[in-house]
Amino acid sequence: MGTAELIWNGVAAFLVMSIYSFLYKDNPFYKFAEHLVVGVSAGYFAMILYYNAFLPKLINPLRAGQYWYIIPGILGLLMWARFSQKWQWLSRPTLGFVIGSGAGVAIPLYLQNYVIRQVHATMLPIGFTSWPLITNVLIIIMVFCALAYFFFSKQHKGAFGAAATFGIWTLMVGFGAGFGMTVMGRVALLAERVVFLRDYFAQLWGALF
Amino acid sequence: MRREIPIAICFLVGISFILEYFIPHEDVLSIFETIRQWAIIVIAFAYVLGIANLVRINSHVIQRKGRDWPYKIILVVSLFFMITVGIIFDIFGIRLGGIGEGTIFGWVYFHAQYPLQATMFSLLAFFIASAAFRAFRIRTFQASLLAVTAILVMIGRVPVGESLWADFPDFIEWIMNVPQLAGKRAIMIGAALGAISTALKVLTGLERTYLGGE
Amino acid sequence: MPIISSAELQIQSNNEFFPSNTNVKSNPFFKVLFLFLCFLLIDSPLSFAAEDLSESWFNPNRLNMLIFLILFFAVIIYFIQRAKKGKSLFIRRIAGLDAIEEAVGRATEMGRPVLFVPGIEDVNQIQTVAAMIILGNVAKMVADYDTPLFVPICRPFVVPVAEERVKEGYAAAGRPDAYNRDNVRYISDEQFAYAAGVQGIMLRDRPMANLMFGSFFAESLMLAETGFLTGAIQVAGTANIHQLPFFVVACDYTIIGEELFATSAYLSKEPKLLGSLKGSDLAKAIIIGILALGAILETLGITQFTRWFFIE
Amino acid sequence: MRKILEKLESLDRRIIFIFIGLSIAIPLLFPVYTDFSVTAPVEGFYDAIEELSPGSKVLVSCDYDPGSMPELFPMNVAVFHHLFSRGHKIIVMQLWATGTLLAERAMNEVLQEFPDKRYGEDYVNLGFKEGREVVMVSMGTSIPKTFPTDAQGTKLEEIPLMQGVTNFDDITILMNISGGLPGTKEWVLQVQSRYGVKLGSGCTAVSAPEFYPYVQSGQLVGLLGGMKGAAEYEKLVQRPGTAQRGMDAQSVSHIVVFLFILIGNIAYFSVKGKKKRLKVSR
């Protein structure tokens, strides 16, 4: 490993430690790292959009004679009308375009995947003769009650209230499970950082002595 | 007019995307592919607004010598540094310009941005522990359900859980596949209905607050 | 100060379609459900044969989706129209609204800032739109007091929308002068850089109320834990199921899934839009009916009903 | 005693932080390798590859970034290893710009064990393509049109492996290493549901619960969730890697978190009655 690499990794290790110093309390090192990551990442995204969206999707098609790409160009430029107090309403058509496309794409997909598909998957054969069938009964009851919790037309009172309460219990068990499942992934992230620091200090040790 | 045209555009674009879902014709698919690309272009243009906002607010602080102003200088300088080495250098053909491995941009990415990002992310290992310590108290029945399931799943997922009870992983699978799945399904169904009705209100112009005042 | 004025008027205990005292024949809930179920007992015409559809103008395998979509749209529009005609609709009060009011109230009382985090997705994500609707009302509540409202933003496209909403909120409260454009801040598109920036605001501007609404990912717990450290009252709401556990654990109040959209419907300028909640409730009631029927038929080995809900 | 308990009840979070840090660092420096069993979704993932006839063309989409690398990189390596060891051909692609470098790194690591695998014949890297779902859908129409060249700029028609590959019909199975969005969800919605291609997923532990319904509904042949999933898979393919090594750190840190929750509860019940600030739910 060359000296340059060692220095660069040293910079990285320093930044890693600066972020961890936040765990003790807010301090100048953390402030430095925080402002640096905001600045660098903003610049990074400018670049990604320039090289992956602006150039290949607008400039190159226009150069290739696909003049209809002028439409998104204009829609994009209209956004810059926001810089002027007087003309900023010009940016609204663009806003309409972006929000409209988002909503239009979302509607059928949400219905398909989050409603119909889930409904289909819940229509399970039920019974009390075998464990899988009992499990299906449980799933259906839990889905019912959790859905009842999301009813806005009725106060959570009486039998309906009891169902909604069982629904919220189901949700709580689900949330607990989600939390428990995640601990592992987060620990893995820290483990990777620990390995990075360990390797760096081993290298530094090797280079110095 | 200043509201009607945007709403009309929103409606037309939205409805055509809904229709596209039902039309398998390849010509239609390719037209809509192009329109989807347009959205990416438009978003790229809007990025300039973001940069302008960032620079404006931070330079205000620097000018007024507001709180933490030296740090704001670091922020603005690092922003322009990245843009300079990434785009300006590349346009003028200066060595090590552009993006990718082996450029200045690449070095900064791998030795500053990536470690910073990954370290920020890994802070969650600490936070998840402190949140668990604080919140998982057996206070109410609901809180206990939350806490007990979390603890069971947590322990059941690691090898040590299995050595405590051989069927632990199966039990965890059951929790994931029955109560967890049922709760999630209900949330999914409800949230999707809510999202669709909100989207429908937006498309039809019934909900137009996003356009702002006159 | 109340955020709901006109919408509140709609809340009278008149039950629309739920069978408390209504007679079954005139109840639209039963009518729609009955017709719908009759229709569905016919065998599904969907074949899902692997044919080449690249030249056809309609995908026959999505016929069921088309029917469901039209039905759902009709239900939503029907109830909105009904509300517009002045028919009173009963909608229970959503507890999340009180939580928002309380948090903002406490912050303004103490003269400490309010922080509104609208998630990290772009404005074409419906959750962000819902967050923006809520933001306008929060601005209205804050406007009367001279406490700043910070809105850190992750996607540039959200900046103009948020600016407009905050400005409008201040104007609606009669305080257009109090609007400070510098408080709607773009931070970074990068998730964790954004989280770092928001943490910075939490640590140094010490907001008393952290409101987090929209589409959140891994940064949720980072924000909520740092917010807890600074002693803020935190109310969060998202439909991103994977992040709900963290908000539930670390925030004082969590608005779950559909409640986010319901809250935004409540806070919309048009109280009539609450009608959509009724529509979505009817849809849920029908879904419960369908599920029950589907499970029973499936148990009896009758599958044509279930097949209507199959999507390739 | 009461004082100690009160202290413990509202323990300074920095003490928790120190313990968590140590519980992860120490086992990583001195690993023990504890044993564990394999869960069904991982088994499904493994079996799906085992069942393919040798020489099958497998598409691997590496859609992750350095942020999710700790969990996903070991999976990626294991998947490549498994595919090569069964004699399959690998077509690599990325929908995340940041995935390119990681996929290359994973491939290079595996190639050291399979030095006779040739680029263009046994594996090919189509590179990164911007456009998220659009790319997925357009691949359904034509892969050569979506990716006219591979990552190095070679025309697809000049690559032997890509002969006869026009769309998803020519791919036996698709393996997605997914760090977020676009990822497994989009592959399921846009590709699996439209084109019916077999799909397996390796994802982060956070998103795993979200994808379980897909496994149950058969839309995913299998699922590797987080480091645990990776470790189980590493065990099945008999190639111990970073995931298996990390499992010790996982065990210890999970126990530490558990102990803290226990201490918190004991202290809480001992000094009960104090006003509580936090309400978990309504």
Side-chain angles (χ1 to χ4, degrees):
Chain A
M1 171 161 303
T3 320
E5 187 70 20
L6 203 64
I7 292 171
W8 274 112
N9 280 342
V11 172
F14 169 74
L15 293 174
V16 171
M17 308 288 269
S18 302
I19 295 274
Y20 285 141
S21 71
F22 164 77
L23 292 171
Y24 182 67
K25 66 177 202 189
D26 193 20
N27 64 71
F29 289 106
Y30 174 71
K31 276 189 202 174
F32 168 76
E34 174 203 314
H35 286 86
L36 188 72
V37 70
V38 172
V40 168
S41 72
Y44 169 79
F45 262 88
M47 225 81 59
I48 292 296
L49 285 171
Y50 176 79
Y51 283 103
N52 290 333
F54 186 72
L55 280 187
K57 290 191 200 305
L58 182 65
I59 301 301
N60 294 347
L62 280 177
R63 278 198 187 138
Q66 293 169 307
Y67 292 113
W68 57 91
Y69 274 84
I70 202 85
I71 302 173
I74 291 170
L75 280 175
L77 282 173
L78 282 178
M79 271 324 273
W80 293 359
R82 291 288 315 178
F83 287 121
S84 143
Q85 288 290 324
K86 193 178 163 198
W87 299 105
Q88 49 175 251
W89 57 273
L90 275 175
S91 64
R92 287 182 188 162
T94 314
L95 215 53
F97 172 79
V98 171
I99 293 184
S101 62
V105 171
I107 287 174
L109 285 182
Y110 278 29
L111 189 67
Q112 170 185 310
N113 295 301
Y114 297 137
V115 184
I116 307 300
R117 222 188 264 286
Q118 301 307 323
V119 168
H120 184 257
T122 314
M123 291 195 279
L124 303 160
I126 49 173
F128 297 95
T129 44
S130 71
W131 181 240
L133 290 179
I134 297 171
T135 297
N136 289 348
V137 175
L138 275 176
I139 290 182
I140 290 172
I141 291 175
M142 284 170 171
V143 171
F144 276 15
C145 293
L147 267 178
Y149 171 77
F150 290 107
F151 265 89
F152 302 105
S153 302
K154 213 168 160 60
Q155 291 290 11
H156 288 167
K157 279 182 194 149
F160 183 76
T165 308
F166 185 69
I168 191 80
W169 292 351
T170 308
L171 295 186
M172 283 300 154
V173 170
F175 291 154
F179 191 100
M181 283 294 274
T182 314
V183 178
M184 185 163 244
R186 302 311 187 220
V187 168
L189 296 168
L190 183 54
E192 193 262 354
R193 292 285 84 194
V194 170
V195 170
F196 166 78
L197 285 177
R198 181 195 69 189
D199 290 351
Y200 171 71
F201 285 114
Q203 278 160 13
L204 191 67
W205 183 265
L208 290 178
F209 305 102
Chain B
M1 279 308 274
R2 294 183 181 186
R3 287 173 150 263
E4 278 67 34
I5 290 180
I7 288 171
I9 291 180
C10 179
F11 179 76
L12 288 176
V13 174
I15 292 297
S16 27
F17 268 105
I18 294 176
L19 291 178
E20 185 246 356
Y21 175 83
F22 296 101
I23 307 176
H25 200 285
E26 55 183 357
D27 296 347
V28 177
L29 287 184
S30 75
I31 291 172
F32 276 90
E33 232 169 87
T34 314
I35 299 180
R36 281 203 193 96
Q37 303 280 339
W38 290 2
I40 299 169
I41 300 169
V42 171
I43 286 168
F45 272 93
Y47 198 74
V48 174
L49 294 178
I51 300 279
N53 179 293
L54 197 65
V55 172
R56 189 190 77 225
I57 288 166
N58 285 295
S59 49
H60 281 181
V61 178
I62 298 169
Q63 274 166 9
R64 281 186 285 125
K65 294 229 165 28
R67 194 189 58 211
D68 292 336
W69 65 272
Y71 297 101
K72 308 293 175 193
I73 296 180
I74 294 169
L75 193 159
V76 175
V77 167
S78 54
L79 164 65
F80 282 108
F81 175 77
M82 291 298 270
I83 295 179
T84 311
V85 298
I87 297 175
I88 316 278
F89 272 31
D90 189 51
I91 290 174
F92 291 101
I94 299 173
R95 214 167 67 86
L96 301 181
I99 59 174
E101 241 197 317
T103 61
I104 301 177
F105 178 86
W107 294 338
V108 177
Y109 177 79
F110 282 107
H111 297 103
Q113 191 182 339
Y114 164 59
L116 282 169
Q117 233 170 286
T119 313
M120 280 300 298
F121 200 177
S122 72
L123 285 179
L124 280 171
F126 298 103
F127 287 157
I128 209 166
S130 63
F133 168 74
R134 200 179 65 236
F136 292 157
R137 304 277 159 90
I138 313 294
R139 263 181 215 124
T140 61
F141 182 63
Q142 280 178 29
S144 334
L145 278 179
L146 184 78
V148 170
T149 331
I151 293 169
L152 286 177
V153 172
M154 223 174 69
I155 299 299
R157 287 274 293 167
V158 282
V160 71
E162 202 183 336
S163 50
L164 288 176
W165 173 32
D167 291 334
F168 219 143
D170 295 334
F171 178 61
I172 301 306
E173 291 283 320
W174 187 83
I175 291 185
M176 295 312 285
N177 286 328
V178 182
Q180 203 266 150
L181 185 78
K184 172 178 294 178
R185 266 198 192 139
I187 301 180
M188 265 188 196
I189 294 175
L193 294 176
I196 295 170
S197 53
T198 308
L200 181 68
K201 286 185 283 183
V202 168
L203 283 189
T204 48
L206 287 167
E207 175 61 77
R208 51 179 73 182
T209 37
Y210 67 91
L211 286 174
E214 220 27 73
Chain C
M1 75 173 267
I3 23 175
I4 304 150
S5 43
S6 43
E8 203 83 77
L9 299 175
Q10 298 289 325
I11 302 174
Q12 291 149 14
S13 60
N14 175 348
N15 237 327
E16 261 293 301
F17 50 75
F18 281 97
S20 51
N21 50 1
T22 34
N23 84 42
V24 171
K25 269 183 197 159
S26 67
N27 194 312
F29 168 66
F30 287 110
K31 269 192 216 163
V32 175
L33 188 63
F34 181 71
L35 284 176
F36 187 63
L37 294 182
C38 287
F39 168 71
L40 288 174
L41 284 174
I42 310 166
D43 198 7
S44 156
L46 312 184
S47 62
F48 300 107
E51 48 190 320
D52 184 20
L53 294 170
S54 60
E55 293 293 323
S56 42
W57 293 94
F58 180 71
N59 186 342
N61 297 337
R62 286 183 173 167
L63 177 68
N64 52 353
M65 276 291 296
L66 187 65
I67 295 169
F68 298 138
L69 198 64
I70 291 173
L71 273 176
F72 185 54
F73 278 9
V75 165
I76 299 282
I77 303 282
Y78 169 77
F79 278 103
I80 290 178
Q81 293 302 332
R82 220 177 143 82
K84 272 191 176 166
K85 281 190 197 134
K87 295 265 168 66
S88 62
L89 302 173
F90 173 78
I91 299 287
R92 80 177 153 85
R93 185 162 171 88
I94 298 159
L97 290 170
D98 301 327
I100 299 175
E101 261 177 65
E102 198 192 319
V104 175
R106 280 267 275 285
T108 49
E109 232 167 67
M110 299 175 70
R112 298 249 303 262
V114 174
L115 176 71
F116 188 98
V117 189
I120 66 161
E121 276 202 272
D122 226 319
V123 75
N124 55 5
Q125 156 72 251
I126 309 293
Q127 290 188 56
T128 312
V129 176
M132 286 296 118
I133 297 169
I134 299 172
L135 171 62
N137 287 275
V138 171
K140 205 158 98 189
M141 295 162 70
V142 175
D144 268 340
Y145 307 86
D146 280 318
T147 52
L149 167 65
F150 294 111
V151 189
I153 284 168
C154 184
R155 305 281 165 177
F157 227 102
V158 184
V159 174
V161 186
E163 281 179 351
E164 286 298 323
R165 290 297 289 146
V166 175
K167 199 157 80 181
E168 210 185 332
Y170 277 78
R175 291 293 310 278
D177 52 301
Y179 166 66
N180 178 0
R181 206 171 154 219
D182 279 7
N183 285 343
V184 178
R185 299 173 182 173
Y186 168 74
I187 293 194
S188 171
D189 268 58
E190 210 287 312
Q191 188 181 9
F192 297 111
Y194 176 75
V198 180
Q199 278 184 355
I201 296 178
M202 287 177 172
L203 289 170
R204 289 159 219 141
D205 292 305
R206 295 268 155 183
M208 186 64 211
N210 296 343
L211 308 175
M212 297 174 266
F213 295 104
S215 176
F216 287 87
F217 293 84
E219 70 289 345
S220 62
L221 184 65
M222 241 177 242
L223 302 181
E225 274 295 287
T226 311
F228 178 84
L229 176 76
T230 62
I233 305 177
Q234 310 198 84
V235 184
T238 183
N240 288 6
I241 300 165
H242 43 91
Q243 296 309 322
L244 277 167
F246 307 109
F247 279 146
V248 168
V249 160
C251 291
D252 296 279
Y253 193 88
T254 308
I255 288 173
I256 300 168
E258 191 181 2
E259 289 178 309
L260 173 67
F261 301 105
T263 308
S264 78
Y266 242 119
L267 294 178
S268 177
K269 269 197 295 197
E270 283 259 9
K272 318 240 159 23
L273 294 185
L274 272 180
S276 69
L277 289 185
K278 270 298 206 215
S280 140
D281 270 6
L282 179 57
K284 269 172 283 178
I286 293 177
I287 285 172
I288 290 187
I290 287 173
L291 278 179
L293 187 64
I296 292 167
L297 292 177
E298 195 73 11
T299 312
L300 300 173
I302 304 169
T303 55
Q304 74 244 41
F305 181 72
T306 325
R307 279 185 44 214
W308 271 99
F309 298 89
F310 182 74
I311 296 159
E312 43 171 338
Chain D
M1 187 62 198
R2 190 172 178 82
K3 263 204 173 139
I4 299 172
L5 283 170
E6 262 170 32
K7 266 246 165 70
L8 281 175
E9 219 262 309
S10 52
L11 189 67
D12 190 332
R13 51 147 109 203
R14 282 174 285 201
I15 295 174
I16 304 175
F17 292 164
I18 290 173
F19 275 92
I20 288 297
L22 290 178
S23 71
I24 292 170
I26 295 172
L28 274 175
L29 301 173
F30 313 100
V32 207
Y33 295 117
T34 27
D35 197 30
F36 49 87
S37 76
V38 177
T39 50
V42 177
E43 194 91 51
F45 189 99
Y46 175 80
D47 290 344
I49 294 182
E50 287 288 300
E51 283 160 10
L52 300 178
S53 53
S56 297
K57 286 175 184 171
V58 178
L59 182 67
V60 182
S61 188
C62 305
D63 310 326
Y64 62 105
D65 64 352
S68 41
M69 187 179 155
E71 289 180 86
L72 300 181
F73 188 77
M75 274 179 206
N76 197 346
V77 173
V79 168
F80 283 165
H81 176 93
H82 189 196
L83 289 172
F84 273 155
S85 68
R86 300 288 303 171
H88 302 312
K89 317 268 185 204
I90 308 178
I91 304 169
V92 190
M93 60 169 283
Q94 301 91 33
L95 293 173
W96 288 35
T98 40
T100 315
L101 211 90
L102 301 171
E104 269 169 24
R105 215 197 264 186
M107 185 54 89
N108 289 336
E109 205 174 312
V110 175
L111 281 175
Q112 288 173 352
E113 297 156 50
F114 298 93
D116 53 331
K117 297 288 177 190
R118 290 279 159 269
Y119 186 84
E121 284 164 30
D122 299 301
Y123 68 99
V124 64
N125 184 8
L126 300 181
F128 160 72
K129 188 86 185 169
E130 170 72 45
R132 304 155 63 122
E133 291 94 330
V134 181
V135 176
M136 300 178 182
V137 176
S138 112
M139 286 174 76
T141 326
S142 166
I143 292 175
K145 265 192 205 157
T146 318
F147 289 93
T149 64
D150 72 352
Q152 286 131 356
T154 317
K155 286 202 175 115
L156 241 51
E157 54 257 42
E158 292 164 16
I159 300 172
L161 174 55
M162 294 309 288
Q163 300 310 315
V165 178
T166 47
N167 56 32
F168 291 122
D169 295 342
D170 309 305
I171 303 287
T172 45
I173 194 166
L174 199 160
M175 292 298 179
N176 174 227
I177 312 286
S178 165
L181 198 139
T184 297
K185 190 165 106 192
E186 287 68 31
W187 281 110
V188 171
L189 306 189
Q190 304 286 351
V191 174
Q192 200 282 330
S193 27
R194 282 189 202 211
Y195 305 103
V197 68
K198 269 210 259 173
L199 179 67
S201 164
C203 66
T204 55
V206 203
S207 39
E210 191 176 354
F211 301 149
Y212 269 106
Y214 296 140
V215 180
Q216 219 199 23
S217 63
Q219 287 167 287
L220 286 178
V221 294
L223 183 69
L224 311 179
M227 201 188 243
K228 177 80 191 303
E232 289 173 21
Y233 186 61
E234 278 178 0
K235 189 180 159 190
L236 284 178
V237 298
Q238 294 167 349
R239 184 184 181 280
T242 24
Q244 273 196 47
R245 226 171 333 200
M247 287 321 284
D248 288 332
Q250 292 286 4
S251 282
V252 178
S253 57
H254 278 64
I255 292 169
V256 168
V257 174
F258 170 71
L259 289 178
F260 271 113
I261 298 175
L262 202 67
I263 293 170
N265 275 296
I266 295 170
Y268 168 74
F269 279 107
S270 321
V271 290
K272 215 171 165 184
K274 230 175 74 181
K275 195 181 163 282
K276 285 282 111 42
R277 180 189 174 280
L278 187 105
K279 41 180 194 278
V280 170
S281 69
R282 56 222 74 197

